[in-house]
Amino acid sequence: MADRPNGERSGATPAGRAKGTPGRVGGLGTFGGVFTPSILTILGVIMYLRFGWVVGQVGLGGTLLIVTLSTSITLLTALSIAAIATDQQVGTGGAYYMISRSLGIETGGAVGIPLFLAQALSVALYTVGFAESVTGAFPFVSAKVVGLVTTLAVATLAITSARAAIRAQYVIMAAIVLSLLSLLFGSGLEGVEPQGVGPSLIEDPESFWVVFAVFFPAVTGIMAGVNMSGDLANPSRSIPKGTFLAIGAGYLIYMSLPVILTLRADTATLVNDPLVMRRISLWGDAILIGVWGATLSSAVGSMLGAPRVLQALARDGILPRTLSWIGKGSGEDDSPRVGTVLTLGIALVAVWYGDLNLIAPVLTMFFLTTYAVVNVAAGVERFLGSPSFRPRLSVHWIFSLAGAAGCGSVMFLINPAATVAAGVFVLGIFVWLERRGLEAAWGDVRRGVLMMVARASLLRLRRAAEDPRNWRPHFLVLSGAPTRRWHLIELAADFSHHNKGLLSVATVLRDTTVSYERRRAMERNVEDYLAKRGIDGLVRVISAEDPFAGTELLVAAYGLGSLVPNTVLLGDSESDEHRPRYCKMVEHLWRSRRNVVIVRDADRVGFGDRKRVDIWWGGLQGNGALLMILGHLLKTSLAWREAVVRLKMVVPTEAAAEDARRNLADMMEQARTQLELSVLVSEDKPALELLHESSRSADLILLGIAAPDQGDFAAYFEQLRERTSDLPCTVFVLASETMAFREVLFPQGDRP
């Protein structure tokens, strides 16, 4: 994650860096932009209309435990938020922005979409709560009508002016303070015994975790300030400070209220009367004013936050292209009016069908999912210790991962089925985005994670003994320009079962004046070319005056630790002038303990119909075992799965043929290579004549060739080329690796 010159990491796409970007001049401060919306969302509908029910269901001790557990999760999440916010400038989208810039655009989108839905449903939660409190005071009023009208009014205010909505929250905060003072100086109900509250006094009390699920949205207000990140003057300073102050103030209030409720009301009243606070306050109507203000301000906060998350999702290309218009902003403050209308639609549907106890648990799952991923993002960043991650507020990764574990554990304790459903929903979005192949204009932490895993794996491989059971060919393909010799890459991909083995494509340029930047651009072009054809491979382009010497140096130096290509695949030499040097290079590769696979004439005759492969075999010794392995890999590949792969063995007489078939039948059964055995009788015919007669109609021929240390390899190879010149595409195989290939075929020790 490279730093920009001004200290900002690679951020959103150009569309996302329009008005309202981080650090906007004249933006909101800590108190107005973070603390106020956060504390007003914390001290909201759950506190006024469900806190008495919580106390009645689980008692004073259970309530204090729920408050502490809930606040602990939000505090750990706030620490993670602070770490990320003090390391990077947080743009529009709040938690989505943080996650996508740390864990990648797919993970950000997978969490951002549920986060938007959660905040849209939050609007319904608060307006339903407002309607419930209104009907409690005025029973003749329809709660559904009040909820719908209130939702429309909140959306209108958010569309009209975000600043006006923020200023209105100061008045609402004063009303909440007044209501809490009225409650503090109130008196208890007549006939209530101190500490006479608890689940033992209810016929069918709800379980602890069901009550927890209803209460938890009360402490999710920390996202209200984060979601306004694009409107803050200094997000990296305001988000941590304002969030911690709101959490601290909310915790003190939530730990005090259960004591007051326990001492002033009985269990039945707490459970059955949502407005019990009104009855035990000094001025009861102050509670109504407070609940109305809190619910409306929280609804406004969610109505401001949800569209901004949606706007960020659209601008980053998370939403389908047909919905890119959702990312457009309006006015000087870049207000997401289109997103506000969509949020309004979701909220209206939820208001029509929902109630508090139904909506709250759904929100809990969505918010806990978001919190867990935010914690993972911060924990991974800190654990990796990348030089680019330098938060002003340093939080140990243990705390972040503890927060993530807490979120996951609580989700399962609340509702395992809903947890699995939420996980499947998020995973489904992730897979959808992964398949779309989105490209972000910023770096993320995934490369750091992969580097850490790669480092650990390489070090383990260094200490691990070579194991025939896990051997597979890792090809280095000397293709030159891939467009001209695509058949080499294609055959290597077939042998390695398309992306199951390590495949590298190399080109040696004769021009030594080519710059590094130009070579890197050529590598990227080849990578794109491979990707478009469904092949994942590494690419290396080097320069050398002598391409043969360059190839030898490349093979010697290419790789990392024990992870090096074990098989070199190349085309045949077409130039008589260069063939001696070509043969010397092949000999060098063989002595470097690299298996060599030479493909001849594929560029001229191709691979035919891929229906028949002939492997000329002389036994397990030498190249024999490797030929069988390559034949099996070809037969089980996608492109050659319909082919008949025959292992052809030549014997002098019919009697020898019968013995060979009988002796090899058991070996073929044990090898399980799906190869067919064909024993040919020469009857004094030259081997070359038999080869031409038997394999003239094959699509591909595999031949083992003699080791270079058995004589003049250049003369031998020249003669071999002449004798096979009129055959179909022929592959010469030269085994050199120290691996005992017969142990790859027979790993259980029961070898022939």
Side-chain angles (χ1 to χ4, degrees), residues 80-103:
S80 297
I81 290 173
I84 297 175
T86 57
D87 175 65
Q88 59 176 270
Q89 292 189 7
V90 183
T92 301
Y96 156 73
Y97 186 97
M98 294 178 177
I99 294 169
S100 62
R101 270 58 179 178
S102 293
L103 297 183

Side-chain angles (χ1 to χ4, degrees), residues 202-503:
I202 308 175
E203 289 188 7
D204 294 310
E206 299 287 355
S207 71
F208 177 88
W209 293 110
V210 169
V211 178
F212 178 94
V214 172
F215 172 79
F216 188 79
V219 296
T220 57
I222 62 171
M223 288 298 176
V226 176
N227 292 332
M228 297 300 294
S229 55
D231 296 271
L232 299 174
N234 190 346
S236 64
R237 178 178 179 275
S238 296
I239 289 176
K241 187 175 180 180
T243 302
F244 288 136
L245 287 173
I247 290 174
Y251 182 68
L252 290 176
I253 293 171
Y254 276 136
M255 291 296 282
S256 303
L257 289 181
V259 178
I260 296 175
L261 293 172
T262 301
L263 295 175
R264 295 185 185 176
D266 63 305
T267 301
T269 303
L270 291 173
V271 171
N272 299 317
D273 186 358
L275 285 172
V276 63
M277 289 186 184
R278 185 184 183 194
R279 297 172 59 186
I280 60 176
S281 296
L282 179 63
W283 179 35
D285 289 343
I287 299 297
L288 282 180
I289 295 173
V291 70
W292 292 345
T295 52
L296 291 177
S297 68
S298 298
V300 169
S302 296
M303 187 62 80
L304 290 173
R308 282 161 172 76
V309 174
L310 188 63
Q311 184 184 49
L313 289 168
R315 286 180 170 177
D316 285 346
I318 299 294
L319 304 181
R321 290 183 179 179
T322 54
L323 299 178
S324 60
W325 48 273
I326 295 175
K328 295 180 180 178
S330 304
E332 293 184 0
D333 58 353
D334 197 32
S335 177
R337 293 179 182 175
V338 176
T340 303
V341 173
L342 293 175
T343 302
L344 171 63
I346 295 173
L348 288 174
V349 172
V351 169
W352 182 265
Y353 290 104
D355 60 60
L356 285 182
N357 288 16
L358 178 64
I359 297 173
V362 176
L363 292 183
T364 295
M365 287 298 169
F366 279 142
F367 278 121
L368 280 170
T369 300
T370 304
Y371 286 7
V373 180
V374 169
N375 280 309
V376 168
V380 170
E381 288 268 30
R382 185 61 181 169
F383 179 77
L384 292 177
S386 301
S388 63
F389 187 64
R390 303 183 302 275
R392 293 185 182 89
L393 180 61
S394 182
V395 178
H396 197 280
W397 59 269
I398 282 290
F399 294 106
S400 297
L401 296 188
C407 292
S409 301
V410 168
M411 288 174 71
F412 270 102
L413 289 170
I414 291 173
N415 190 327
T419 301
V420 172
V424 170
F425 183 67
V426 171
L427 182 62
I429 297 175
F430 179 87
V431 172
W432 170 61
L433 294 174
E434 186 81 15
R435 289 184 175 178
R436 285 176 59 193
L438 297 177
E439 291 187 7
W442 61 84
D444 56 61
V445 77
R446 288 177 295 181
R447 183 178 177 85
V449 173
L450 292 174
M451 286 294 292
M452 180 182 67
V453 173
R455 174 187 176 276
S457 299
L458 284 170
L459 293 176
R460 291 290 298 273
L461 281 173
R462 180 191 64 184
R463 294 189 290 267
E466 238 181 19
D467 181 11
R469 186 180 184 86
N470 296 309
W471 184 90
R472 68 168 54 247
H474 298 300
F475 282 97
L476 175 63
V477 184
L478 302 173
S479 66
T483 52
R484 291 187 356 190
R485 285 191 157 187
W486 176 251
H487 57 279
L488 298 179
I489 301 172
E490 188 178 24
L491 187 61
D494 291 337
F495 279 132
S496 59
H497 283 189
H498 275 265
N499 309 332
K500 289 187 178 178
L502 184 64
L503 176 64

Side-chain angles (χ1 to χ4, degrees), residues 661-680:
R661 293 188 189 99
R662 186 170 52 254
N663 294 335
L664 293 176
D666 184 52
M667 183 206 75
M668 297 295 288
E669 178 68 23
Q670 291 180 43
R672 304 183 305 281
T673 55
Q674 302 184 38
L675 307 183
E676 296 183 7
L677 179 64
S678 176
V679 180
L680 306 177

